Amino acid sequence: MKRPIEPFRIKMTEPISLPSEKERVKYIEEAGYNIFKIRAQDIFVDFLTDSGTGAMSQQQWAGIMNGDESYAGGRNWFHFEETVKDIFQKKYVLPCHQGRVAENLFFSSILKKGDYVPNNTHFDTTRANTMHKGGIPVDLPCKELNDDSEFRFKGNFDTEGLESFINKVGPDKVPVVVITVTNNSVGGLGVSMQNVKEVRRICDKYKLLLFFDAARFAENSYFIKKYEPGYEDHTIKSVAQEMLGYGDGAMMSAKKDGMANMGGFLAVNDAELAGRLKELLILIEGFPTYGGLNGRDLEAIAIGLKEALNEEYLAYRTDHIAYFGEILQEAGCPIISPTGGHAVFLDAGKLLPHIPAEQFPGQSLTVELYRKGAIRAVEIGSLMFGGEDPNTGEKFTAKRELVRLAVPRRMYTVSHLEYTAEIVAQIVKNKGSLKGYKIVEEPKYLRHFTCRLQELVANPVSAV
Ligand SMILES: *Cc1c(COP(=O)(O)O)cnc(C)c1O
């Protein structure tokens, strides 16, 4: 693959610096081998998340200076509303300060205790908000997800599974079906238009609402244009409009394809639902023409949503990620393939077979990335998803031991990716020396954010 070239040049810089080896060793030890506890200033290249971490364009910064902070009816609101209505093909728009607030508002308005919410795969806040309102989240990813093929739409919904699930529990227990584009939790993989249409057909048959969790709608639209026959000659915007048009509404985190550092919204077609959402919005976020955001932020999002649909940008964005995956593989590290729209997942389970899941091979790799290169990644394996059954005391581990390198939008250059691949190559060379970890301090919930760990001196299993 050719080295992708950034379709922008740098006008303003933010310095980053590489701490010395001595400092890196000290910082990670002080952090209890938990990467969340390291100060951002002590990180050289930060791949923790692509959420709210991207760089804004000159147009967005200019838009910020055009911020109108009137309490009601500010001009940026009208620009924002018009932009969202146009792209999302919806009648009503409710701004809010993050995606999870959109989830909170929406699920509060439609869920009853014991209702099911099928999703191609829930993102963690979506799952938590569903459960918080008494709902039961159900993940139905497509079967191709677990094969070794290079199928491009492994983010798809298992539509047969969806229909049989609806028949099993009864449509009355399913107030809404949610499609997440791209499918974040399985690697930011795309969902095809054909799959979206099939979910729509099923929702029509059983008279169910269909909503999008649309955080990466632009990256998904690009995958459809690039890989789905029949869309080659469409504009990205028309693909997005068609796709989102199949939904009755959408929840959006503008921290991703909104190209902004903060923000979110709900877009819906039903007047009665919009009315209920608006009442709740005023209660918890703010007046419906700002909803917890500054006027200037609404402007930055309105501009960002349009920039996210620029095909040249999207080609660069997805090539940048694919190139990263390729050089990491060349460095000798197994990855999850194909790569999705926003991150590369390293397969630490495959790379470090001498470290059992109970000793967190993904965390071992994550720590080493920091120790060797001040690179921040995040473990997505048994530290995040494993634990102990509170009823039986039985210990369980995750299905896969992964490490995610999420790439912020328009922020790092190819040099930063190549630097990371060089560090990974060094780690791969000495992989037998990597050790397992044990937890020494653990909170009750979401332990990966705050737990402290200890490096094990030697592995009970000999290195392979
Ligand atoms: C980030 C994200 C959310 C939550 O949005 P926040 O802005 O972080 O609250 C919901 N769904 C998906 C798919 C996401 O990626």
Side-chain angles (χ1 to χ4, degrees):
M1 183 174 183
K2 277 212 322 251
R3 206 169 184 275
I5 299 171
E6 292 80 8
F8 49 81
R9 55 186 181 184
I10 296 165
K11 181 176 310 211
M12 196 200 300
T13 62
E14 182 180 7
I16 51 174
S17 76
L18 177 64
S20 70
E21 184 172 4
K22 205 171 136 206
E23 286 169 325
R24 298 194 301 266
V25 169
K26 175 168 161 268
Y27 295 152
I28 191 77
E29 193 193 324
E30 282 172 357
Y33 299 99
N34 187 332
I35 206 80
F36 285 99
K37 292 192 178 169
I38 293 186
R39 292 185 304 183
Q41 68 180 55
D42 298 328
I43 309 277
F44 189 44
V45 192
D46 201 346
F47 294 117
L48 183 63
T49 177
D50 68 319
S51 177
T53 51
M56 290 203 293
S57 66
Q58 59 182 3
Q59 288 84 356
Q60 284 177 295
W61 282 109
I64 292 242
M65 291 310 293
N66 279 318
D68 170 357
E69 305 307 333
S70 305
Y71 190 91
R75 66 176 166 263
N76 313 118
W77 156 251
F78 294 104
H79 182 199
F80 174 88
E81 184 192 30
E82 171 199 20
T83 307
V84 175
K85 279 182 173 177
D86 179 32
I87 298 171
F88 283 66
Q89 300 285 293
K90 296 290 164 283
K91 294 200 188 88
Y92 305 96
V93 181
L94 300 102
C96 56
H97 85 271
Q98 275 196 249
R100 67 198 68 184
V101 182
E103 294 161 8
N104 182 342
L105 289 164
F106 178 58
F107 292 126
S108 299
S109 304
I110 61 143
L111 287 188
K112 292 191 306 293
K113 199 169 161 32
D115 280 344
Y116 294 95
V117 182
N119 192 318
N120 44 343
T121 313
H122 285 82
F123 177 65
D124 50 12
T125 61
T126 321
R127 178 187 316 279
N129 267 301
T130 301
M131 291 166 72
H132 190 248
K133 313 302 169 212
I136 305 164
V138 182
D139 287 344
L140 295 168
C142 68
K143 304 216 164 47
E144 292 90 342
L145 179 61
N146 295 313
D147 66 29
D148 287 332
S149 71
E150 289 286 307
F151 179 53
R152 279 288 164 180
F153 295 105
K154 287 187 178 179
N156 277 354
F157 223 112
D158 171 7
T159 48
E160 277 172 32
L162 174 64
E163 191 154 11
S164 58
F165 181 79
I166 295 166
N167 280 316
K168 192 175 85 188
V169 300
D172 294 349
K173 297 291 275 177
V174 184
V176 65
V177 175
V178 179
I179 306 182
T180 306
V181 290
T182 57
N183 194 339
N184 182 2
S185 304
V186 305
L189 296 168
V191 177
S192 72
M193 193 75 88
Q194 191 194 349
N195 191 249
V196 169
K197 282 192 206 170
E198 180 58 15
V199 176
R200 177 75 260 175
R201 188 194 64 78
I202 294 168
C203 289
D204 285 342
K205 181 169 165 190
Y206 297 96
K207 301 197 166 51
L208 306 180
L209 278 183
L210 171 58
F211 264 63
F212 280 94
D213 183 353
R216 297 177 184 80
F217 75 97
E219 289 166 8
N220 201 82
S221 301
Y222 183 77
F223 286 141
I224 290 174
K225 170 161 177 155
K226 185 154 183 200
Y227 298 114
E228 192 162 348
Y231 289 93
E232 306 83 348
D233 300 328
H234 288 229
T235 62
I236 302 290
K237 184 175 164 187
S238 74
V239 175
Q241 286 172 323
E242 181 183 338
M243 175 180 78
L244 295 165
Y246 291 120
D248 298 298
M251 300 170 272
M252 175 75 186
S253 166
K255 300 173 73 169
K256 285 82 171 214
D257 282 346
M259 312 290 270
N261 300 120
M262 193 55 72
F265 55 85
L266 268 163
V268 303
N269 261 342
D270 184 84
E272 188 270 332
L273 175 61
R276 274 189 290 143
L277 289 166
K278 207 170 272 187
E279 281 176 25
L280 212 59
L281 180 73
I282 295 173
L283 199 66
I284 68 171
E285 282 281 273
F287 193 71
T289 63
Y290 72 84
L293 289 165
N294 298 304
R296 54 180 173 266
D297 292 343
L298 291 167
E299 189 64 26
I301 298 167
I303 297 168
L305 287 168
K306 293 180 215 174
E307 289 181 353
L309 293 172
N310 179 304
E311 189 168 341
E312 207 178 337
Y313 156 71
L314 285 168
Y316 143 77
R317 169 78 175 152
T318 48
D319 283 355
H320 198 64
I321 303 287
Y323 180 74
F324 197 18
E326 209 169 279
I327 58 177
L328 287 162
Q329 270 180 302
E330 277 168 19
C333 190
I335 67 161
I336 301 299
S337 184
T339 45
H342 70 284
V344 179
F345 288 71
L346 308 178
D347 195 332
K350 268 193 195 153
L351 180 71
L352 307 170
H354 63 289
I355 303 175
E358 295 76 16
Q359 294 180 9
F360 314 122
Q363 190 61 16
S364 179
L365 180 55
T366 304
V367 168
E368 208 59 15
L369 282 165
Y370 183 76
R371 220 161 15 197
K372 288 281 179 314
I375 295 160
R376 179 151 65 176
V378 63
E379 190 259 14
I380 302 197
S382 290
L383 185 61
M384 190 180 270
F385 294 123
E388 210 177 276
D389 189 307
N391 302 315
T392 63
E394 203 179 323
K395 291 211 160 70
F396 57 91
T397 56
K399 262 193 228 137
R400 290 195 289 194
E401 304 299 330
L402 305 177
V403 172
R404 186 182 79 175
L405 296 163
V407 184
R409 290 167 183 77
R410 303 188 290 206
M411 192 163 73
Y412 291 122
T413 65
V414 169
S415 303
H416 297 103
L417 307 186
E418 289 177 348
Y419 165 77
T420 304
E422 278 169 30
I423 297 294
V424 167
Q426 284 176 30
I427 294 172
V428 169
K429 253 187 221 139
N430 294 305
K431 63 181 178 178
S433 68
L434 266 66
K435 299 190 175 66
Y437 284 79
K438 70 169 183 194
I439 297 178
V440 288
E441 239 179 76
E442 179 172 13
K444 216 162 146 192
Y445 299 108
L446 296 171
R447 65 182 186 183
H448 60 282
F449 287 125
T450 54
C451 70
R452 297 184 73 83
L453 299 126
Q454 206 172 62
E455 190 171 15
L456 295 167
V457 181
N459 285 302
V461 191
S462 63
V464 281

